Each structure stands twice: as C-alpha cells, then as structure tokens.
Amino acid sequence: MKHATKLMTGILASAMLGTPALAQTTINVSSWGGPNHGINTIVWPTWKAWIEEATDGRVTLQVTEDLGPPDAQMALVADGVADASWIFHGHMSGRFELTQLPEFPTFEAFSSEVASAAYWRTHQEYLAQAGEHRGLEVMAVGVHGPGQIFTEERVESLDQLADRRVRVGGGVMADLADALEVSGVALPPTGVYEAASQGVIDGAMLTLEGLRSFRVAEVLPHTLTVDGGFYRGSFAIVMNPMVWDRVSPEDREAIQTVSGERLSRLFGYMMDVSDERGVEFAEELGNTFTQASEEDIAMLREVSDELIDQWAEEVGSGELEPKEALQYFRDQLAEAAKEESIAADVDAS
C-alpha cells in the first residue's frame, strides 16, 4: 500500500511540474543566449508543451544551457553531445551560403514571425534540396529581427562609421560591414557587452533584442536604424538524426505537426517580443535612436543589389535559381502577413 501511495504521489508531482511521468523519450536540448533570452523563456517551454500534448506525454524536452559557445552548437548536435539545439548559420562561414537568402535588407518593415514563416516555406520549396544541413534534421528555420547598428558615440551618417571597430557576425552582416568600410571584429553576441565596456569595439551590428538580452544598451547607447534592418540573421533549430530515428513513427508525425512552419513562426514571434523588450529597456536608459538618411538608404540599396548579384552567382548551381528563390521568399512575406499570428497559441501554452 505504501508503494502504491508513493507511486501515485510521484505521478501527481510529475503532472504538477508539467513533465509527463511516463515519457518514453527525452530530447536533450543544448541552448545558449542566457537564461533570460527568449529562446529559453518562450521557444523551448512552448515547444515542449506542444510536443507533450501532441504525443500524449510520450516525448518531452530537457534544456541544458552553456554546453558550448554559439558557434559550437552544430558540432554538439552532430557529435551526439546534445540531441538538439539552435544554430546561427553565419557562425559557420563556408558551410552555409544559401541561408543568406533572408538576410538581405528589404528596406520595409515586417515581423520576424512573418519572415520566419516565409523562410520555412522557401527552405522546403528551394533550399532543402541543396543539403547544406546534411547530417542534421531541420525542425525549423527562422530569422531574427532587424539588425541595426549600436555605437558608443551618436552616429547620424554611415560615413561616420568608417574605420570604426564594429562587432560583426557572419553572413550578409559581414559583407555589409566590408562595404561600409568599418573594421569588423568577429564576436558572438554574448561577447559584445564585455568588448564594448573594455573599449575593444566602438559599436556593434546586432538586433534590437540584444539591447536587453545582451545588455548592449548599457554600453552602446546610440542606435542607427533602417526600416526592416540593415540585415537579418538566419537560424535553424536542428536535431541529431539518430535521435529523431529513435522516436516512433507515430510520435515523429505528431512532433512534425508542431514543428516546421509552426515552430518557425514561434521562433520569429519570440524575436519580435524580444525586440520590443529590448527597445523598451533602451528607452528607459535614455538611449537614442536615429533613422538613417535617404542618402544613406539609397547607397545601401546599391550595396544590397551588388551583394545579391554576387551571392546569386556564387551559390547558383544545378536547378536552383537563387534569385527565383529570393523572390519566392519575398512573395511569401506578403502571404504570411495575411495569416493569423501564433501569439494566441503561445499564450495558451
């Protein structure tokens, strides 16, 4: 009787904690970005709830932070140290080139949720066939919010950035930095605060969410902005295929219904919420926001067109037409914007 009581107590306790007592499969997720980052407070908890509901508790997630730096996440998953993670494609220059597609500036404002939905459709229609994610199971793709330029001293013209030491990542961001003739300093977003506070960098190309998530607003109080961002950043949520194969066919099918475009939208929604929080945090600190001039935007359009032409020439091969894929992505931006946001599903979970 005592044993039965203990068992029932354990089941009730597990239910109260939100983790199924009888889960047959636990997917171990490696995460980076800090405990307060939206990936850890919004994406993983929501996806976990969706998976548990879809599989009737047979599959769950367990998140571990700080298993490795951002640029090591793909290797951690490929080597089986973690079952799944989120990766930034720009960290692996040379491996991912087609994924620069959603990063080019559009000079029009749109949400990251809409962009991530459009990106998933484009990935499935055009990019997956190229096999850039070989050795990984792609569960979702997404983009961060508009990448802007944060500086220690107020900047009102792009000319003022010449020869400044500015943090950059990879992808289109790095190409744009070269075109602007800044001295690019390769750093993960998690290293911006320390580098800026020690005077190693004069500014950073980063997202608005970084103002709060990575405390950038405290050390780089001035922001130069462009509608839609100077660039976007491309991400994927990936899983080790051997782990995915261990999940039963029934549960794989169930998990797919809450992954793909739905998970991509969730990722983008998280970025939108994080951007809003970042701007609010910066405004509370008295940070300034300056819109780029029409002259600078005209120059950026020319630079962007040149970068697109160069990219299309480098990645075009076989049946893939890069500019056709890019146009498809931009068409899907308009289509996805007409559809209902994922926000209600996130709040419900």
Side-chain angles (χ1 to χ4, degrees):
M1 192 65 168
K2 290 182 180 180
H3 291 299
T5 302
K6 286 183 179 179
L7 177 60
M8 183 58 68
T9 301
I11 293 173
L12 291 173
S14 179
M16 291 175 66
L17 289 171
T19 301
L22 302 178
Q24 297 171 355
T25 303
T26 297
I27 298 170
N28 296 300
V29 176
S30 170
S31 191
W32 55 273
N36 296 321
H37 193 284
I39 193 75
N40 295 317
T41 61
I42 297 175
V43 174
W44 301 135
T46 303
W47 194 34
K48 174 182 178 179
W50 288 351
I51 287 174
E52 291 174 354
E53 181 180 4
T55 63
D56 293 326
R58 291 184 296 275
V59 183
T60 188
L61 299 184
Q62 178 175 301
V63 179
T64 303
E65 296 179 36
D66 299 324
L67 281 179
D71 59 0
Q73 296 303 309
M74 188 174 74
L76 290 174
V77 175
D79 294 343
V81 177
D83 298 336
S85 185
W86 61 306
I87 62 172
F88 176 60
H89 293 114
H91 286 151
M92 290 145 284
S93 178
R95 168 71 183 265
F96 296 102
E97 300 295 341
L98 290 171
T99 55
Q100 292 182 25
L101 179 145
E103 297 187 346
F104 296 107
T106 61
F107 307 100
E108 295 180 7
F110 52 87
S111 74
S112 296
E113 179 185 343
V114 163
S116 296
Y119 187 20
W120 174 258
R121 297 172 190 179
T122 307
H123 176 267
Q124 295 300 91
E125 185 72 19
Y126 288 95
L127 308 186
Q129 60 182 295
E132 287 190 336
H133 293 89
R134 59 191 176 279
L136 299 168
E137 191 73 30
V138 179
M139 308 305 295
V141 294
V143 300
H144 65 46
Q148 311 291 12
I149 299 177
F150 310 108
T151 54
E152 182 181 12
E153 299 178 359
R154 186 166 185 168
V155 169
E156 297 183 343
S157 169
L158 292 174
D159 291 340
Q160 295 175 259
L161 290 172
D163 299 323
R164 297 281 185 96
R165 295 164 298 174
V166 177
R167 175 269 171 181
V168 297
V172 169
M173 185 193 334
D175 295 334
L176 183 61
D178 289 341
L180 296 178
E181 297 182 349
V182 303
S183 298
V185 179
L187 282 173
T190 49
V192 170
Y193 177 87
E194 182 178 2
S197 62
Q198 294 179 355
V200 175
I201 57 174
D202 305 308
M205 300 180 77
L206 203 62
T207 61
L208 294 169
E209 62 99 4
L211 289 167
R212 178 176 178 266
S213 295
F214 304 116
R215 299 174 61 194
V216 173
E218 298 175 29
V219 289
L220 300 173
H222 304 288
T223 303
L224 185 65
T225 67
V226 167
D227 286 345
F230 286 88
Y231 66 95
R232 295 274 176 151
S234 172
F235 295 81
I237 293 176
V238 297
M239 188 178 298
N240 184 299
M242 290 187 290
V243 173
W244 185 236
D245 287 344
R246 287 203 297 268
V247 178
S248 71
E250 176 189 4
D251 288 338
R252 281 203 303 270
E253 184 176 352
I255 293 170
Q256 285 172 333
T257 66
V258 296
S259 302
E261 183 170 329
R262 192 178 183 197
L263 181 56
S264 298
R265 275 191 175 271
L266 174 63
F267 184 91
Y269 168 82
M270 174 274 292
M271 286 295 185
D272 290 330
V273 171
S274 299
D275 279 352
E276 292 172 6
R277 292 172 179 172
V279 171
E280 290 172 0
F281 178 70
E283 289 176 341
E284 289 172 1
L285 294 180
N287 284 202
T288 68
F289 292 82
T290 304
Q291 180 75 10
S293 68
E294 289 300 322
E295 292 79 9
D296 280 342
I297 291 175
M299 182 272 286
L300 285 169
R301 286 184 184 276
E302 292 182 7
V303 170
S304 178
D305 288 343
E306 291 174 2
L307 291 178
I308 290 172
D309 287 342
Q310 179 181 341
W311 167 79
E313 184 176 348
E314 291 176 352
V315 304
S317 62
E319 298 179 359
L320 178 64
E321 293 289 344
K323 287 191 176 181
E324 179 183 317
L326 178 60
Q327 186 58 53
Y328 179 85
F329 167 71
R330 292 183 172 176
D331 290 343
Q332 291 305 309
L333 286 175
E335 293 301 314
K338 301 174 186 176
E339 299 163 7
E340 189 174 351
S341 170
I342 200 80
D345 288 343
V346 178
D347 293 340
S349 56

